[in-house]
Amino acid sequence: MQGMIKVNFRDLETLEFPEGTTYEEISHSFQKYFGYPILVAKVDNHLKSLKSQLDKKCDIDFYDRSSIVGNTVYSNSVQLLLIVAIKQLFGKDADVQIEHSIDRGIYCELVGENLTKAVLSKIEAKMKEIVKQDLIYTKLSVLRLDAIKYFKKKNQMDKVNVLKYISNSFINLYRLDEEYDYFFGEMAPSTKVVDEFKLTYIKDNGFVLSYPNIYNPECTLDYKHHEVVFEEFLKYTLWGRNIHISNASDLNKIVSMGKYNEVIQLAETHYESQLAKIADIIYERKGEVKFILLSGPSSSGKTTTAKKLSIYLQARGFNTHAISTDDYFLERKDTPKDENGNYDFECLEALDMDLFNRHMSKLLDGERVLLPEFNFITGKKEYKKNYLQLKENDIVIIEGLHAINDILTMSIDKKNKIKIYV
């Protein structure tokens, strides 16, 4: 006789289910707490496929595509869906090379087949057809050496090289239809829950796979092409190929050979050469440019870039000054809140834009300005005799999450500023 096992969901509900019940079946009892189909379970703080079975008393939680964890599962699942659709349409020799994230999507290149807008429409239609078929994502634990033999036979050397540097005896493969592939992480239970996506043609054999993200989980937003950002990604990809590093397995090979110092030196030289070019551009506009606006995501290297660029500019005769937009936060009591009632420090409106514009305008006019320093403990600006007045060869590097947003420097003429995105 099957025993009954207690399941505690978020300390909100405790229910009993027969031993051997799948987490997918259990998830139906808690779907009411979610706005989108549940994709994966967390059992005693360990992620589990919904196809796994209940075998002991546990604390359980679930994730849909509106969460970071769930959205990663959604991304993996829709990528495998794309691979299978291409194989079904064009045969086993056709493939897709998944390159990098870009504007709420992933840039991909079709391999073994010429890509046109009409061809891309066929791929998208085939993906939707597979969604309606409600095919199961099956997780298989196989010997790593057997997986290497399998991918070698199919001439998928990128996967062979990845698996060479994994130390585990067993690895997980996923099967959808007749296609096997290696992915890190979990998959959705079936294709019916990954029904939101779009394919957008870029050029040559490139396209973007878009799907809902945690900020817009309800639908897939249209891809917005930014040519400058796209070209920079492309340059970086080509540079990687030139130094024989196109993916993680290439890097693993170099590390295993003890040549990682050479890679570090190459990367730093490439980075420094970009800074030198930027410094030359600024020097060519000497006397006109007074503000360098430097922005980028968290941990992208904004502060490091600001300090290094400062050295390059000083070598060209500039006196540099650093300003962080973080020092222009509104007082804590005036900071906007998000939909959950928490302070939203990352939105543009969290900055005192009026004060910032006034200060930058005064600096441009040659006036002496007392700059603030934000105290993150008290949540207030403090003024500690940090005065700044710009002279002929002075230039200000402004660093922050929203530094390149025109609203932040609306009072400054375009000719007086240069934008850098890291």
Side-chain angles (χ1 to χ4, degrees):
M1 182 177 177
Q2 277 186 319
M4 299 297 289
I5 297 177
K6 286 186 178 180
V7 166
N8 173 40
F9 174 75
R10 295 183 181 176
D11 291 331
L12 295 175
E13 281 192 67
T14 300
L15 300 178
E16 289 188 340
F17 298 92
E19 182 180 357
T21 305
T22 66
Y23 296 121
E24 184 175 17
E25 292 170 318
I26 294 171
S27 72
H28 299 325
S29 298
F30 304 106
Q31 181 64 62
K32 61 188 176 185
Y33 293 99
F34 298 88
Y36 307 95
I38 289 172
L39 299 169
V40 69
K42 184 172 75 171
V43 182
D44 290 337
N45 287 319
H46 295 285
L47 287 183
K48 296 279 189 180
S49 164
L50 291 183
K51 297 299 181 184
S52 301
Q53 295 180 347
L54 180 67
D55 58 1
K56 63 177 181 177
K57 179 182 177 182
C58 62
D59 292 321
I60 198 167
D61 200 354
F62 297 97
Y63 297 99
D64 65 11
R65 70 192 190 205
S66 66
S67 65
I68 293 175
V69 172
N71 204 257
T72 301
V73 172
Y74 195 97
S75 177
N76 285 342
S77 305
V78 80
Q79 286 177 52
L80 185 51
L81 172 63
L82 171 66
I83 292 167
V84 170
I86 288 172
K87 297 287 187 184
Q88 287 188 5
L89 275 173
F90 308 114
K92 297 297 181 182
D93 292 334
D95 205 351
V96 59
Q97 193 163 311
I98 296 169
E99 290 288 351
H100 52 74
S101 299
I102 188 166
D103 190 58
R104 300 184 293 270
I106 302 173
Y107 176 67
C108 309
E109 291 183 352
L110 184 62
V111 180
E113 192 75 23
N114 290 328
L115 182 68
T116 63
K117 289 182 179 180
V119 168
L120 196 62
S121 294
K122 286 183 180 179
I123 296 173
E124 186 172 308
K126 176 58 73 172
M127 291 174 70
K128 291 177 180 177
E129 180 184 316
I130 297 171
V131 167
K132 289 180 180 179
Q133 292 171 3
D134 195 17
L135 299 184
I136 303 297
Y137 290 93
T138 304
K139 184 177 183 179
L140 304 165
S141 180
V142 302
L143 281 169
R144 181 175 64 90
L145 294 178
D146 286 346
I148 289 174
K149 290 177 184 176
Y150 171 77
F151 288 122
K152 191 176 289 186
K153 186 177 180 181
K154 299 192 72 174
N155 200 32
Q156 293 181 310
M157 297 309 296
D158 55 336
K159 294 180 176 64
V160 170
N161 291 329
V162 166
L163 294 174
K164 278 182 181 178
Y165 298 99
I166 293 176
S167 58
N168 296 344
S169 297
F170 287 84
I171 57 105
N172 292 322
L173 293 184
Y174 285 96
R175 186 183 73 221
L176 185 63
D177 192 32
E178 297 178 0
E179 192 65 30
Y180 294 82
D181 216 319
Y182 174 71
F183 278 83
F184 182 80
E186 299 293 337
M187 288 279 178
S190 68
T191 57
K192 73 175 180 181
V193 294
V194 287
D195 58 344
E196 263 292 329
F197 49 81
K198 289 180 182 178
L199 302 183
T200 306
Y201 179 81
I202 304 299
K203 58 183 176 181
D204 299 328
N205 266 32
F207 64 96
V208 170
L209 166 64
S210 304
Y211 47 86
N213 59 30
I214 60 172
Y215 305 106
N216 297 284
E218 67 278 5
C219 63
T220 306
L221 298 180
D222 290 337
Y223 167 72
K224 187 175 182 181
H225 189 63
H226 301 279
E227 187 65 25
V228 175
V229 176
F230 178 80
E231 288 298 323
E232 206 56 45
F233 270 114
L234 183 59
K235 286 179 189 175
Y236 187 73
T237 299
L238 295 175
W239 177 75
R241 290 172 184 170
N242 288 336
I243 63 170
H244 309 295
I245 303 177
S246 295
N247 48 48
S249 62
D250 292 339
L251 187 59
N252 286 338
K253 181 179 179 181
I254 288 170
V255 171
S256 69
M257 295 168 65
K259 295 183 178 181
Y260 43 84
N261 281 331
E262 296 175 24
V263 176
I264 293 170
Q265 289 169 2
L266 280 170
E268 289 188 344
T269 301
H270 180 63
Y271 171 66
E272 299 278 352
S273 69
Q274 294 178 82
L275 291 175
K277 289 178 183 177
I278 293 169
D280 287 340
I281 292 170
I282 294 168
Y283 184 79
E284 289 171 4
R285 293 173 59 183
K286 187 177 181 181
E288 182 179 70
V289 172
K290 284 294 183 181
F291 300 102
I292 299 167
L293 310 173
L294 196 151
S295 185
S298 298
S299 303
S300 59
K302 295 188 294 293
T303 303
T304 300
T305 300
K307 289 178 179 178
K308 284 184 174 287
L309 181 59
S310 177
I311 294 170
Y312 277 93
L313 292 172
Q314 289 172 31
R316 286 161 175 75
F318 290 101
N319 299 312
T320 61
H321 307 275
I323 291 178
S324 172
T325 59
D326 286 357
D327 287 320
Y328 282 85
F329 273 123
L330 290 168
E331 308 295 290
R332 186 69 45 79
K333 62 182 178 63
D334 298 322
T335 303
K337 294 184 178 181
D338 60 22
E339 64 274 11
N340 298 317
N342 300 316
Y343 288 116
D344 187 356
F345 297 109
E346 294 194 351
C347 69
L348 178 63
E349 292 74 20
L351 298 175
D352 192 337
M353 289 180 281
D354 290 338
L355 178 64
F356 187 85
N357 270 282
R358 286 202 306 274
H359 280 185
M360 298 308 110
S361 294
K362 287 182 178 181
L363 287 173
L364 191 60
D365 292 338
E367 295 183 37
R368 189 167 181 253
V369 176
L370 177 59
L371 302 175
E373 181 179 318
F374 195 82
N375 186 321
F376 287 90
I377 297 174
T378 64
K380 295 180 179 180
K381 299 185 194 69
E382 296 177 350
Y383 294 88
K384 300 179 178 179
K385 299 183 179 180
N386 181 20
Y387 289 94
L388 179 59
Q389 187 172 19
L390 300 184
K391 298 177 182 178
E392 184 179 353
N393 289 330
D394 286 9
I395 199 163
V396 179
I397 300 176
I398 300 169
E399 178 252 311
L401 189 63
H402 297 287
I404 63 174
N405 193 316
D406 284 328
I407 297 175
L408 190 62
T409 54
M410 65 177 76
S411 62
I412 308 300
D413 195 287
K414 187 177 180 179
K415 68 180 181 180
N416 300 126
K417 54 192 179 185
I418 277 184
K419 297 177 181 180
I420 301 171
Y421 185 78
V422 184

